[in-house]
């Protein structure tokens, strides 16, 4: 069984998430720790597979020290955030090692699928709907360097964990997709897929809450 620690947010919400997780044959709740700082302190000794953080733990905005602590925890524990996450915070969370950003209204089955994907090293983003944005997302002139196909690949990178899944969606070989991703990384001056995801959201190519497969059309 893969172990999950729940932290942040109201106790009632943590109990609800815990109830759903305990119904899974793959995951179990190792502990509930109300304060995020306390949870991060306990990670080295508890060594959970996933740390599930209520977005309210970051209110009003993620602090530099907290993001640094998350980044240090990422090599040992998969990090996921559930709740209303402003679009402008997605980049900093990704750079801190968070690989799951889930909307507060996600249903039980997609919630468990997302946690399993995060546990296996995948990347899942399903954030607040457009109406919840607090500031507009401005176009990124870097995207002008990309071809139509490269923009499509960039949009899909935001929702697909690996090149094989992306290749199936596009009807291309994984090797061709790998070449596209490498060129996009080079053109955008990025070094990781997480940075590409951040660019896709910050530029408005992909809208939080809107599946990337639709945004790529």
């Amino acid at each position: 069984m893969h172990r999950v620690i729940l932290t942040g947010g109201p106790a009632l919400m943590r109990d609800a998430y815990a109830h759903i997780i305990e119904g899974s044959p793959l995951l179990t709740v190792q502990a509930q720790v109300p304060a995020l700082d306390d949870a991060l302190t306990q990670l080295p000794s508890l060594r959970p597979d996933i740390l599930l953080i209520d977005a309210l733990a970051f209110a009003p905005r993620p602090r530099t020290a907290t993001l640094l602590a998350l980044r240090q925890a990422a090599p040992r524990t998969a990090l996921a955030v559930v709740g209303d996450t402003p679009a402008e915070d997605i980049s900093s969370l990704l750079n801190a090692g968070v690989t799951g950003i889930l909307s507060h209204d996600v249903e039980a089955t997609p919630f468990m699928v997302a946690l399993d994907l995060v546990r296996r090293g995948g990347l899942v983003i399903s954030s607040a709907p457009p109406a919840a944005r607090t500031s507009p997302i401005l176009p990124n002139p870097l995207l002008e360097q990309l071809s139509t196909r490269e923009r499509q690949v960039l949009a899909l990178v935001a929702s697909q964990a690996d090149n094989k899944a992306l290749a199936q969606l596009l009807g291309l070989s994984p090797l061709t997709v790998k070449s596209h991703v490498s060129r996009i990384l080079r053109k955008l001056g990025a070094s990781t897929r997480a940075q590409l995801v951040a660019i896709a959201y910050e530029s408005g190519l992909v809208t939080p809450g809107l599946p990337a497969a639709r945004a790529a059309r």
Side-chain angles (χ1 to χ4, degrees):
M1 297 284 282
H2 300 281
R3 297 166 299 174
V4 182
I5 289 181
L6 306 173
T7 187
L12 188 61
M13 290 299 297
R14 290 198 307 274
D15 286 342
Y17 295 137
H19 178 73
I20 295 172
I21 291 170
E22 289 294 357
S24 165
L26 300 176
L27 302 176
T28 186
V29 175
Q30 183 179 12
Q32 292 192 42
V33 183
L36 175 57
D37 289 343
D38 292 339
L40 293 175
T41 300
Q42 295 178 39
L43 284 184
S45 59
L46 295 178
R47 300 176 65 84
D49 297 290
I50 301 174
L51 177 64
L52 181 63
I53 307 164
D54 191 295
L56 291 175
F58 296 115
R61 297 291 296 276
R63 297 172 296 172
T64 301
T66 300
L67 293 176
L68 178 61
L70 287 176
R71 188 180 300 112
Q72 293 172 339
R76 300 181 296 276
T77 300
L79 306 173
V81 174
V82 60
D84 290 332
T85 302
E88 60 268 27
D89 288 348
I90 290 177
S91 178
S92 59
L93 290 175
L94 291 174
N95 288 331
V98 174
T99 53
I101 301 178
L102 311 176
S103 172
H104 75 282
D105 58 359
V106 63
E107 296 183 358
T109 298
F111 174 71
M112 293 307 305
V113 170
L115 287 187
D116 183 58
L117 181 58
V118 167
R119 175 191 63 81
R120 292 186 286 113
L123 181 66
V124 179
I125 299 180
S126 174
S127 189
R133 292 183 191 152
T134 57
S135 61
I137 297 178
L138 301 177
N140 191 328
L142 287 176
L143 298 187
E144 296 178 3
Q145 305 177 57
L146 305 182
S147 66
T148 300
R149 173 63 87 182
E150 287 169 345
R151 291 190 185 202
Q152 185 181 38
V153 170
L154 176 59
L156 289 173
V157 163
S159 67
Q160 303 304 316
D162 53 42
N163 289 343
K164 182 177 179 181
L166 208 160
Q168 291 176 341
L169 279 174
L170 294 174
L172 302 173
S173 71
L175 183 59
T176 299
V177 170
K178 182 179 179 180
S179 297
H180 280 307
V181 172
S182 295
R183 283 197 297 271
I184 294 169
L185 285 166
R186 185 173 63 255
K187 287 183 177 181
L188 299 183
S191 58
T192 66
R193 291 176 76 96
Q195 289 176 329
L196 292 185
V197 173
I199 291 172
Y201 278 87
E202 289 176 342
S203 67
L205 183 65
V206 176
T207 301
L210 181 66
R214 286 176 55 192
R217 290 175 186 170

